[in-house]
Amino acid sequence: MFLSTVTNSLDAKGRVSVPADFRATISETPSKSPFDGIVVWPSLDGNYLEGGGISLLEDFQNSLDQREHYDAERSALQYMIFASSRQLAFDGGGRVSLPKDLHEYAGLNGKVTFVGLGRRFEIWSPKALEDRKDGLLALARESRHLLKTVKPGEGS
Amino acid sequence: MFLSTVTNSLDAKGRVSVPADFRATISETPSKSPFDGIVVWPSLDGNYLEGGGISLLEDFQNSLDQREHYDAERSALQYMIFASSRQLAFDGGGRVSLPKDLHEYAGLNGKVTFVGLGRRFEIWSPKALEDRKDGLLALARESRHLLKTVKPGEGS
DNA sequence: TGGGATAACATGGGATTTTATGGGATACAA
DNA sequence: TTGTATCCCATAAAATCCCATGTTATCCCA
């Protein structure tokens, strides 16, 4: 499970350390693929990146498999997620290098913030994230009741 | 189940013993993750921390999964809980080290009080907890007067 | 039931390992 | 070659492990 928010630095070669906890989460999660790294794609929702382990994409695949082959939504998601995502392998020190286009899409420079969201995570420019957070806090206060309805032990 | 209230000390390295009963509760509760420790996040309600075992977050996850991916409320809660929580692993003696920012958020210094609340627990500065208790007591006193004035059968 | 023996717990501090990060060397492609 | 990507090693800071100790709680048997 991806938890917490961590800011690391992006070096001159475009490399950034993936937080150790995130790496642990990825290696703990079983997957059919032996790929050792993360998968990242530009968000559909704004100028930031989304990512996860390879198993997350496998889950998306399974979810899409339950739809009709030419279902419009299926095609759209395939294009937006699968086609635009990149596999970024860890180097010996647990870093990945972010391709320049993703770089620019998220407006990163110098610092990179990883935001853990459970099954997946987001990658933000610290400054952009700051702006977004303020709005979410108020909404979160109002939405708390949603969590109180959780029943223990439910789900897979 | 997290029960009772225990105060332990925070050492120079920022470590604090998690009450043995709490540790037992955590190891008894089944979870998908092999993580051995607690998960802690700043409360939305005041300057104290909330926490539980990793299974509590897994339950939150399942609850949020029932909403659309880009649902605003879902995003808000993901940010406030998942993104702001930390996984704190037990050391050999059943302690965790509290990151400095959580430290400061809860105004801890020297002593830490764990308050068991069933499925989760809270972490308070003993002094702050004292103050809240006083507040609740005062409120209770006022409420008692209110109750007297609305006793059935008493005319106004 | 008393009271010594034993185990569990909270806590301190030094030693060791992990992490994040920089930079050189090497392989690859255009 | 020239630019780009990958591998490898170095290092400082931080997190974690491990052992020691006093204290409290629990056990056990006469």
Side-chain angles (χ1 to χ4, degrees), chain A residues 3-21:
Chain A
L3 295 178
S4 94
T5 299
V6 176
T7 298
N8 286 337
S9 47
L10 195 63
D11 70 17
K13 293 182 181 179
R15 296 176 301 185
V16 62
S17 288
V18 175
D21 286 350

Side-chain angles (χ1 to χ4, degrees), chain B residues 27-93:
Chain B
S27 63
E28 283 162 12
T29 308
S31 153
K32 275 191 272 182
S33 164
F35 174 70
D36 187 35
I38 61 176
V39 179
V40 174
W41 63 94
S43 171
L44 292 174
D45 280 327
N47 287 100
Y48 60 93
L49 310 176
E50 300 188 37
I54 189 83
S55 65
L56 179 62
L57 282 266
E58 285 171 353
D59 290 343
F60 285 169
Q61 177 78 266
N62 291 332
S63 163
L64 290 174
D65 278 348
Q66 290 162 12
R67 305 188 141 246
E68 292 297 320
H69 246 71
Y70 291 108
D71 176 272
E73 286 189 333
R74 171 177 170 154
S75 294
L77 284 171
Q78 281 181 321
Y79 264 80
M80 299 322 291
I81 306 289
F82 294 98
S84 60
S85 70
R86 306 286 176 78
Q87 287 180 271
L88 310 179
F90 295 136
D91 71 7

Side-chain angles (χ1 to χ4, degrees), chain B:
Chain B
M1 205 172 196
F2 300 111
L3 295 177
S4 90
T5 298
V6 176
T7 299
N8 285 336
S9 47
L10 195 63
D11 70 17
K13 291 184 181 177
R15 296 177 301 186
V16 61
S17 288
V18 175
D21 288 350
F22 286 25
R23 298 202 302 267
T25 295
I26 285 168
S27 63
E28 283 162 12
T29 308
S31 153
K32 275 191 272 182
S33 164
F35 174 70
D36 187 35
I38 61 176
V39 179
V40 174
W41 63 94
S43 171
L44 292 174
D45 280 327
N47 287 100
Y48 60 93
L49 310 176
E50 300 188 37
I54 189 83
S55 65
L56 179 62
L57 282 266
E58 285 171 353
D59 290 343
F60 285 169
Q61 177 78 266
N62 291 332
S63 163
L64 290 174
D65 278 348
Q66 290 162 12
R67 305 188 141 246
E68 292 297 320
H69 246 71
Y70 291 108
D71 176 272
E73 286 189 333
R74 171 177 170 154
S75 294
L77 284 171
Q78 281 181 321
Y79 264 80
M80 299 322 291
I81 306 289
F82 294 98
S84 60
S85 70
R86 306 286 176 78
Q87 287 180 271
L88 310 179
F90 295 136
D91 71 7
R95 287 176 292 192
V96 297
S97 18
L98 279 177
K100 199 165 48 181
D101 56 338
L102 292 183
H103 229 241
E104 285 164 3
Y105 184 84
L108 305 176
N109 68 327
K111 292 286 174 186
V112 178
T113 303
F114 290 82
V115 182
L117 297 172
R119 285 177 45 69
R120 61 184 186 83
F121 55 82
E122 292 178 354
I123 296 177
W124 287 79
S125 146
K127 188 160 164 32
L129 186 58
E130 195 74 21
D131 291 347
R132 183 178 79 154
K133 275 185 182 163
D134 290 347
L136 288 176
L137 184 57
L139 188 59
R141 289 213 180 91
E142 286 170 25
S143 303
R144 195 174 46 181
H145 288 290
L146 281 177
L147 286 178
K148 277 184 183 166
T149 66
V150 295
K151 264 184 188 165
E154 269 182 17
S156 50

Side-chain angles (χ1 to χ4, degrees), chain A residues 43-90:
Chain A
S43 173
L44 297 177
D45 207 36
N47 285 100
Y48 60 94
L49 310 176
E50 299 188 39
I54 190 82
S55 67
L56 179 64
L57 279 271
E58 288 170 353
D59 290 346
F60 283 169
Q61 181 71 263
N62 291 334
S63 163
L64 288 174
D65 282 347
Q66 289 165 10
R67 293 171 169 270
E68 293 298 319
H69 248 65
Y70 295 104
D71 178 276
E73 208 174 327
R74 170 175 170 155
S75 298
L77 280 172
Q78 282 179 323
Y79 266 84
M80 299 312 289
I81 309 277
F82 291 92
S84 58
S85 69
R86 309 285 177 76
Q87 286 180 264
L88 310 178
F90 295 137

